[in-house]
Amino acid sequence: MASLTKKENSPYWFCCFTAPDGTRTKRSTKQTDKDKALLVCREYEKAASDAKKLVLTENQAKKVISDIKEKVLPRVEVVQKNIVERPPYTSPLLNSKIPTGPIEEKWNKHKFDLKLVNPANKRKYEVIVVGSGLAGASAAASLAELGYNVNCFCYQDSPRRAHSIAAQGGINAAKNYQNDGDSVYRLFYDTVKGGDYRSREANVYRLAQVSVNIIDQCAAQGVPFAREYGGLLANRSFGGAQVSRTFYARGQTGQQLLLGAYSALSRQIGLGKVKMHTRTELLDVVLVDGQAKGIVVRNMVTGEISRHSAHAVVLATGGYGNVFYLSTNAMGCNVTATHRAYKRGAAFANPCYTQIHPTCIPVSGDHQSKLTLMSESLRNDGRVWVPKSPSISEKIRNGELQPSNVPEAERDYYLERKYPSFGNLVPRDVASRNSKEVCDEGRGVVSSGLGVYLDFSDSINRMGEAAVRERYGNLFDMYEKITGSNAYQNPMTIYPAVHYTMGGLWVDYNLMSNVPGLFAIGEANFSDHGANRLGASALMQGLADGYFVLPYTIGEYLAESGWGDCPDIESSEFLDAEKAVRNRINKLLSIKGKRTPTSFHRELGKIMWENCGMSRNESGLKSAISKLSELREEFWGNLNVPGEKESLNQSLELAGRVSDFLEFGQLMCRDALQREESCGGHFREEHSTPEGEAKRDDENFAFVGAWEHKGDGNEPVLHKEALEYEEVKMTQRSYK
Amino acid sequence: MGKLLNLKLRVWRQDNAEDSGRFEEYDAKGVDTDMSFLEMLDVVNEDLLEDGKEPIAFDSDCREGICGTCSMVINGTPHGGQKGTTACQLHMRQFSDGMTITIEPWRASAFPVQRDLVVNRSAFDRIQQSGGFISVRSGSVPDANATPVAKEDADLAMDAAQCIGCGACVAACKNASAMLFVAAKLSHLSLVPQGQPERERRALAMVQKMDEEGFGSCTVTGSCEAVCPKEISLDFIARMNREYGMALIRKGTV
């Protein structure tokens, strides 16, 4: 039965009717008069039901519907520019709420259209922020500055230790301080292109717009950015861009930006507007009437389980790179918060998009616990090469030949050769795949065969060792500590490693997931980087979300849902969630098997790296899915976690995280399997050009793939959000 | 692959804050010199787990020397004594075959032990909360290039701002003084023009909080500078004393 409804902010009546596929659909009648609207609505319903009875095909039905519109509406309204009509296959679950209007005006218009919470009422609201990295700390501080009461949670012993701190190279912003032709539009364009046309245009444009505010904000907090002698800010260039727009603080930009956000957060903690809960881990998200209203956490020192309720929950819990066991993420980074949210109904978007960073220190042995990244900025002055012939590489691997003795004519600077215009500064995915390719040809140069040179000798000859030390001194020192080799004298060896995950919880333009009241910001969401993130853009996105986007957009939800009492933590929803958490912990401790959590984690990582890493294929992914089922079964039958639950128990923490990674890894493989194309960080061997470059399929895969959990033991369901490019023309990326 | 070492470990074990604690000895056999110190402990812990024993609890996170989480005294020196290096960046090539290595937590009454090598450093956070910031709201700021900062000042501020808040300075000091930590933050913020308006308030508040938290006084032995993984200079303590003195003169007593 069709019905008419009104929407706020729209003068038109909307028709609710049952679409041919059985879903309940809402479509504007474009009529302000109710009687006329009813006529249009009946026509819609009739067309849909005809389609269902197969009197008409679905496409014919759509044509009928658009004909009706043509007939009833005055011409001007029909051709109204820039109406975002969602293509037919966007799932009703995924309403992106992208504002209408030209791209330059969307965000400003949206900010005006958003509902506001009166300053005096803000203090009646409670918000939970999970995570205290760039996104979490900046969001918690900004929300508290606005007047909301914030509870912020982190697993580290201090919010200052979140893994944003390890970002080295810099942060992008479209300031055009270098007068080299940069602009908001160019940053937007580069990011969309770099993301291989798999991100949302509107979100990316907003990101580029607020990037300039971030630099202002951080400078005002006292972040000691690099300066020129005149006292103005210095810039460097970075992969994937041909302008110099990256701001930096030596090789510790992430640290300085995080300490800036941490200082803002500390100020609010001191003022009593934020209550900080350190060494506290989220173990479940609580939904009341379908809306996110709280969390269940474990105090990692005492083992105490507690329930917390709020008007909204913000997850700023980072990425899931540790599913590969070895990655550049910190030891504690985990997927538990976003995976638990997924299991409670939040759609998980593009889990297969992972970024492999090209410049990491190669693995030295089985004991390896994590990988260390050397900033991508090194590619500004270092040249990547391997010997032309595998026989020379073999001599180097056996220690019979030093790299400095390889004559120039025997060296293959393969990035400069294949991509003359970008050279060593090609995007990360391209650089990584090429390293793998030359190593697969037997031309790798470290004992494992998995490493290439990053050589600074030309730069040292050109500008002197002191200038190189000034730029990269701390990175060279770190390299020497880890490898015992001096990179001023010998070329560095590097190899790709998992570094960042572009996938994350699906969010709309307001950064809210499909679960009302549940927001995801920073690396935890999927929205801005498409299938590949450009260097120096993670810091930008984390701070954009936290300082300048979420504080506005959360107001819409809060104003709509009202400030009444937070749900009672003694309610059945909270008690049930706590019970489930306790059962899981008891289960982990009671198995008393033979294998340690780390051994499961290592095996999981190996399966993922081999089958869902730098390149993927159908049979590998299928075998990984079945292997992971077996591994999960063994985990729950043969895990060994000693100790108690009511104390600091690091084995128990790890076991919980690994159990979530085991489930999540399977979702990644499923997503990689359904995406029958190559794009950005996702490379399917079946879909490459004859030269071995990634081949996108825009006709069939220009969509966000968001997975909905359907209960343990059931297959998750894929929902699609169509991606439309109104501004940037989709082309095959070329960095040649 | 590097050489292999056989080592003896003497490790502090303590079940919780109330427990009195004790040293326990473990063998670490076949340790690859390419391993980091914490990877060596990972291997020892895996062996303990396989024997059904509880592993040694220790803090670590980024393992790149920047988050400041790892915190252990190795053979009497916080972070193990390699210049400018955190425990997580210390590699086993610094040790020789047959050595006995003693591993303890930070020892300071302001950093109570929570378990084994894990301590509670929230006192540092509380000092920051008392005034270690520049009060600006999100969005209410001028263009970043509207306030030039001399390169020399920005560079010196960065030298101080590199502090990772690990607490090694406190652990090394015979007085358990937190002066180097506080001096680094005060110097960073007083060297940039944005930090000027709150300069005196900040110095008074942070010093007062530091004293309340039970950190000792500074007698300028320089042990903090010697163990600091970021090599923060003792000069900043001199700068802090001047900041505090000037603040007292201008604002009166605390």
Side-chain angles (χ1 to χ4, degrees), chain A residues 37 43 59 106 129 133-134 171 176 181 198 201 221 262 270 308 423 432 472 515 523 539 565 654 685 692 701:
Chain A
E43 293 284 356
N59 280 338
K106 282 182 197 286
V129 177
L134 284 179
I171 177 165
N176 193 30
R198 291 293 175 266
E201 270 193 342
Q221 289 169 343
Y262 164 72
H308 301 261
S432 295
Y472 309 112
V515 173
E523 192 178 350
L539 300 182
D565 289 341
L654 181 62
E685 288 159 11
F701 288 92

Side-chain angles (χ1 to χ4, degrees), chain B residues 29-59:
Chain B
K29 294 214 163 79
V31 174
D32 189 330
T33 50
D34 279 343
M35 280 185 192
S36 72
F37 192 81
L38 301 188
E39 284 167 352
M40 182 274 291
L41 284 181
D42 288 341
V43 172
V44 170
N45 272 345
E46 283 292 286
D47 291 346
L48 285 174
L49 270 168
E50 271 162 25
D51 293 347
K53 294 181 188 142
E54 281 204 56
I56 304 157
F58 65 91
D59 262 332

Side-chain angles (χ1 to χ4, degrees), chain A residues 142 177 262 331 370 481 596, chain B residues 46 61 64 84 125 138 143:
Chain A
S142 303
Y177 282 162
Y262 164 72
M331 301 300 287
K370 76 152 281 170
K481 270 176 207 159
T596 66
Chain B
E46 283 292 286
D61 206 17
E64 297 180 18
D125 286 324
S138 300
D143 184 272

Side-chain angles (χ1 to χ4, degrees), chain A residues 140-455:
Chain A
S142 303
L143 291 171
E145 284 164 9
L146 287 169
Y148 298 112
N149 302 305
V150 179
N151 274 278
C152 183
F153 298 79
C154 71
Y155 75 78
Q156 296 88 349
D157 73 325
S158 162
R160 66 178 290 155
R161 308 205 197 281
H163 196 55
S164 308
I165 204 152
Q168 298 168 355
I171 177 165
N172 287 329
K175 282 287 199 184
N176 193 30
Y177 282 162
Q178 301 301 321
N179 196 28
D180 56 0
D182 198 10
S183 62
V184 167
Y185 199 89
R186 188 177 296 282
L187 175 54
F188 154 72
Y189 178 87
D190 286 349
T191 308
V192 170
K193 179 184 173 200
D196 220 359
Y197 308 94
R198 291 293 175 266
S199 49
R200 256 194 221 141
E201 270 193 342
N203 286 56
V204 177
Y205 195 88
R206 172 175 68 186
L207 176 68
Q209 271 176 308
V210 302
S211 70
V212 297
N213 305 104
I214 294 170
I215 302 304
D216 299 342
Q217 183 67 30
C218 297
Q221 289 169 343
V223 169
F225 282 120
R227 301 266 169 179
E228 295 161 356
Y229 280 104
L232 303 181
L233 290 161
N235 290 109
R236 55 165 65 137
S237 54
F238 234 75
Q242 287 174 310
V243 293
S244 203
R245 65 158 76 97
T246 304
F247 295 79
Y248 63 102
R250 293 195 193 143
Q252 291 122 290
T253 317
Q255 181 201 23
Q256 293 309 314
L257 295 177
L258 182 63
L259 292 181
Y262 164 72
S263 72
L265 176 63
S266 294
R267 177 167 163 254
Q268 296 303 321
I269 297 171
L271 292 170
K273 286 302 287 181
V274 176
K275 187 163 184 329
M276 189 72 217
H277 308 257
T278 59
R279 288 205 201 266
T280 305
E281 184 163 45
L282 181 149
L283 293 178
D284 211 348
V285 177
V286 183
L287 269 56
V288 178
D289 298 333
Q291 310 212 359
K293 291 294 170 195
I295 58 176
V296 177
V297 299
R298 178 174 181 270
N299 178 321
M300 292 155 69
V301 179
T302 63
E304 187 201 350
I305 309 282
S306 57
R307 292 159 262 139
H308 301 261
S309 82
H311 293 94
V313 176
V314 181
L315 299 184
T317 51
Y320 46 86
N322 273 351
V323 70
F324 292 95
Y325 182 64
L326 287 181
S327 81
T328 67
N329 283 5
M331 301 300 287
C333 295
N334 64 80
V335 75
T336 293
T338 45
H339 185 66
R340 291 283 130 200
Y342 160 73
K343 294 191 79 170
R344 291 282 178 188
F348 207 109
N350 302 333
C352 79
Y353 291 162
T354 49
Q355 182 168 74
I356 315 279
H357 195 289
T359 51
C360 299
I361 298 177
V363 173
S364 74
D366 284 343
H367 53 264
Q368 194 97 21
S369 60
K370 76 152 281 170
L371 295 171
T372 302
L373 176 142
M374 306 301 292
S375 169
E376 180 169 35
S377 61
L378 290 168
R379 286 199 279 147
N380 274 318
D381 291 303
R383 300 179 68 194
V384 177
W385 66 276
V386 290
K388 280 183 182 163
S389 102
S391 62
I392 294 182
S393 295
E394 196 180 340
K395 281 187 187 158
I396 293 175
R397 289 200 293 270
N398 296 336
E400 297 158 19
L401 186 67
Q402 289 301 310
S404 51
N405 296 333
V406 178
E408 204 59 34
E410 287 297 329
R411 300 178 178 195
D412 180 12
Y413 296 93
Y414 55 89
L415 292 178
E416 297 172 23
R417 171 172 60 82
K418 289 170 77 175
Y419 310 97
S421 72
F422 278 72
N424 294 298
L425 290 177
V426 290
R428 293 174 171 179
D429 54 332
V430 178
S432 295
R433 265 200 303 281
N434 277 282
S435 298
K436 180 179 183 325
E437 196 180 300
V438 296
C439 291
D440 288 349
E441 290 164 8
R443 299 197 281 153
V445 291
V446 297
S447 56
S448 66
L450 299 176
V452 301
Y453 287 126
L454 181 62
D455 196 333

Side-chain angles (χ1 to χ4, degrees), chain A residues 66 92 125 160 281 298 322 350 372 385 447 481 486 494 541 615 627 677 679 718 728 733:
Chain A
S66 70
Y125 284 99
R160 66 178 290 155
E281 184 163 45
R298 178 174 181 270
N322 273 351
N350 302 333
T372 302
W385 66 276
S447 56
K481 270 176 207 159
N486 180 334
I494 54 165
Q541 187 224 340
S615 66
K627 278 185 199 159
E677 63 159 353
C679 59
L718 179 70
V728 183
R733 284 189 311 171

Side-chain angles (χ1 to χ4, degrees), chain A residues 378 381-382 454-461 468 472 476 487 492:
Chain A
L378 290 168
D381 291 303
L454 181 62
D455 196 333
F456 288 84
S457 51
D458 282 355
S459 293
I460 290 172
N461 291 338
V468 172
Y472 309 112
F476 279 49
M492 279 183 184

